[in-house]
Amino acid sequence: MIRVVKDPQQDPSWQDVFTEATRQRGELIKEFRKRGDTTVEDQLYKKYMSFLLKIFNQKCAYCETVIGSNQPGDVEHFRPKGRVADDNFKPIKVKVSKWGEIDHPGYYWLAYDWDNLFPACIDCNRYRKHGAGKGEGAGKADRFPVDGFRAAEPDQEKREVALLINPSKDEPDDHLQFLDTGEVFARTEMGKRTLHMLGLNRREVLVKSRKLAFSNARVLLQQYCTAVLSGSEEQEELRERINAIWEGRESYTAMQKLGFEIIRQRVASKGIAIELPLKKT
C-alpha cells in the first residue's frame, strides 16, 4: 500500500459526475430524514471508476494488485454506504436524532463522495475465505473500525478517529512495514486493524506476489548498475522501468521500493550513490 493523493479532476466528464453526486447527496439526506432509510444509486458512484483506476494506475488502493480482466474490481466505499457492522459482522447500534437507537444505516451521505471512494480488488473489498482449508476469511465488506466516537449523521465523520488506513490521506509507511518475505508488519494499531481486516498476510497468492516483486526489483536495479558500468544501451530501457516502479505505475510499489533500497544500501557501502528516480546518464 502506498499513499496516492486523489485530487478533484479537471475532466468535464468528472465534473458532470461530481455535480450530480453533490445534488444526490442532498437528496439522500432528505430521504433519510423523511423515512429513516435511503436508496443509493450504484450507477452514479460507479461512474467514478475510470477516474479512480487512472489515478491509482489500475491498481487496488489497498493491496496494489492490478485490477483487470482476470481480477475484477469494485468501487469501494471507505466508510460503508449501506450499513456498518463490527468485526463479527453484527450490526452496530447508534443513536440518530430523529429515529432514536437503530442499526447503523451506513454513511449514506458519503455514498457518492469522491473522497470516500477507492478502486479495490474483490479480495480487499468483499469478505472471502482464504487458505488451503478455506478457514480464515478476509475482506473489508461493511466493516469500519473507529476509536471511540462513531458518526451516525452527516458531517459527524469529521469527529471520528478511523482505525483503517486511508490510502489517500494517511501515510501507509507510518503504520505498515513491508518485509522481504512478502509479509507486512504492523507498526501501529491502525496498521494492525488494516492488516487483519484486509487479510494482507493471510492471502497466500498476495504474499508470494509481493515477495516476487521484491526480488524482481533487486535484480532490475542490479542490472541497471551493470548496464551503466558497461555502457550498455540497455540502461535506458531499465531506467524507464525503474522510474515507472518508483512512480507507482506497477504492482506492489511498496515491496519493489524495498528491493531498490537493499541495492542502494549495498552500493552505498562502496561509495556509490543511487538517486531515485533515475536521471539520464
Side-chain angles (χ1 to χ4, degrees):
M1 187 185 302
I2 58 173
R3 186 176 182 227
V4 177
V5 177
K6 193 173 51 159
D7 292 326
Q9 303 296 288
Q10 300 304 312
D11 188 304
S13 298
W14 184 94
Q15 295 288 342
D16 289 342
V17 179
F18 181 79
T19 298
E20 179 62 14
T22 301
R23 187 184 72 80
Q24 289 293 342
R25 177 184 188 272
E27 294 301 315
L28 287 177
I29 294 173
K30 291 178 183 178
E31 185 179 5
F32 184 81
R33 288 173 178 169
K34 182 177 180 180
R35 62 186 183 91
D37 196 5
T38 58
T39 301
V40 173
E41 297 294 336
D42 293 357
Q43 292 307 311
L44 179 53
Y45 67 75
K46 286 180 179 179
K47 290 181 179 179
Y48 275 132
M49 186 58 158
S50 61
F51 302 103
L52 292 169
L53 286 174
K54 182 178 180 180
I55 291 172
F56 282 86
N57 291 298
Q58 312 297 313
K59 298 187 294 184
C60 172
Y62 295 118
C63 73
E64 287 197 88
T65 296
V66 169
I67 296 174
S69 58
N70 63 341
Q71 169 55 275
D74 295 327
V75 176
E76 202 277 312
H77 289 76
F78 184 66
R79 285 180 166 84
K81 65 182 184 300
R83 69 188 290 269
V84 183
D86 63 17
D87 286 348
N88 297 314
F89 295 97
K90 293 182 179 180
I92 290 176
K93 296 288 185 180
V94 291
K95 288 185 177 181
V96 179
S97 56
K98 184 174 180 179
W99 305 105
E101 185 174 80
I102 59 173
D103 290 347
H104 198 298
Y107 300 82
Y108 58 87
W109 62 93
L110 300 177
Y112 310 130
D113 190 289
W114 170 250
D115 289 337
N116 193 50
L117 304 175
F118 292 100
C121 69
I122 59 175
D123 283 336
C124 282
N125 190 42
R126 310 179 197 179
Y127 185 81
R128 288 151 54 89
K129 297 289 185 177
H130 299 276
K134 302 292 184 181
E136 289 190 281
K140 182 171 170 287
D142 48 18
R143 297 177 292 173
F144 187 71
V146 298
D147 184 8
F149 174 77
R150 168 82 63 180
E153 300 187 61
D155 298 324
Q156 288 183 349
E157 73 277 4
K158 297 172 184 178
R159 295 164 50 198
E160 280 187 334
V161 178
L163 289 177
L164 180 70
I165 296 173
N166 183 316
S168 284
K169 297 186 181 301
D170 300 313
E171 180 51 68
D173 283 349
D174 292 341
H175 306 282
L176 302 174
Q177 179 182 356
F178 289 82
L179 309 177
D180 58 12
T181 59
E183 296 176 308
V184 189
F185 173 78
R187 301 179 189 270
T188 65
E189 181 62 22
M190 182 184 285
K192 181 179 178 181
R193 296 295 292 272
T194 300
L195 284 181
H196 174 75
M197 184 170 295
L198 302 179
L200 298 183
N201 284 332
R202 294 203 302 276
R203 291 152 52 187
E204 295 179 0
V205 173
L206 176 60
V207 174
K208 290 179 179 178
S209 295
R210 287 197 302 251
K211 183 177 181 180
L212 179 60
F214 168 80
S215 298
N216 287 343
R218 290 181 59 186
V219 170
L220 192 63
L221 193 53
Q222 285 176 325
Q223 290 176 335
Y224 174 77
C225 292
T226 300
V228 171
L229 292 174
S230 65
S232 170
E233 295 181 357
E234 187 183 16
Q235 64 182 279
E236 180 58 24
E237 180 181 341
L238 292 169
R239 184 189 71 83
E240 290 181 0
R241 173 81 187 282
I242 290 168
N243 285 348
I245 292 171
W246 187 259
E247 293 165 3
R249 289 186 273 132
E250 292 196 14
S251 300
Y252 315 119
T253 302
M255 286 300 304
Q256 298 211 64
K257 284 186 174 182
L258 178 61
F260 289 159
E261 187 58 30
I262 296 296
I263 301 303
R264 290 175 70 184
Q265 291 178 6
R266 182 178 298 173
V267 300
S269 66
K270 300 177 181 180
I272 303 173
I274 299 178
E275 296 295 332
L276 294 171
L278 297 169
K279 297 180 180 179
K280 287 188 177 181
T281 56

